[in-house]
Amino acid sequence: MQFQFNSDSSVMGTQNVAERIEEMVRDKLARFEDRLTRIEVHVSDENGPKHGADDKTCMIEARPRGGKPIGVTEHAPKVDAAARKAATTMAQRLERLFGKEDKHKHDARPDKAM
């Protein structure tokens, strides 16, 4: 599974922040790793140098194998908290998606014997 981290200029996109968020997101989504081709994480600060409540945003897009991309966005006062909330929400969405997929799978039709 590929992992891509993006940040805008108002959020410190240092290697440390990227590594920390990647580790946390991979940990939350580890059980889906073989079913995903790529995870993209975008973090930003909505109002730049001005401070505000819940002004940090984390958007995560997951791309299931053979399926449509799924995206979630969460807000928090700090980038790490926004990423944690987004990863938790994404895990819940993937659990629902893959749970429904597994539930509706059918065994191969047995050959008819005559």
Side-chain angles (χ1 to χ4, degrees), residues 32-86:
F32 307 110
E33 191 166 345
D34 61 330
R35 293 177 156 190
L36 301 173
T37 59
R38 184 165 70 189
I39 296 287
E40 289 186 35
V41 176
H42 302 268
V43 294
S44 61
D45 186 340
E46 292 183 343
N47 57 1
K50 295 185 271 181
H51 296 287
D54 294 348
D55 66 337
K56 306 298 188 286
T57 302
C58 179
M59 192 281 291
I60 298 178
E61 182 179 286
R63 298 183 181 217
R65 291 188 194 282
K68 294 180 182 178
I70 300 168
V72 299
T73 303
E74 293 289 348
H75 303 273
K78 297 192 184 250
V79 174
D80 289 311
R84 188 171 25 265
K85 287 171 64 175

Side-chain angles (χ1 to χ4, degrees), residues 4-25:
Q4 185 175 347
F5 179 82
N6 302 294
S7 65
D8 67 6
S9 60
S10 62
V11 175
M12 285 182 50
T14 64
Q15 190 68 18
N16 186 26
V17 172
E19 288 173 2
R20 198 171 58 235
I21 290 175
E22 178 177 356
E23 182 181 339
M24 188 265 306
V25 170

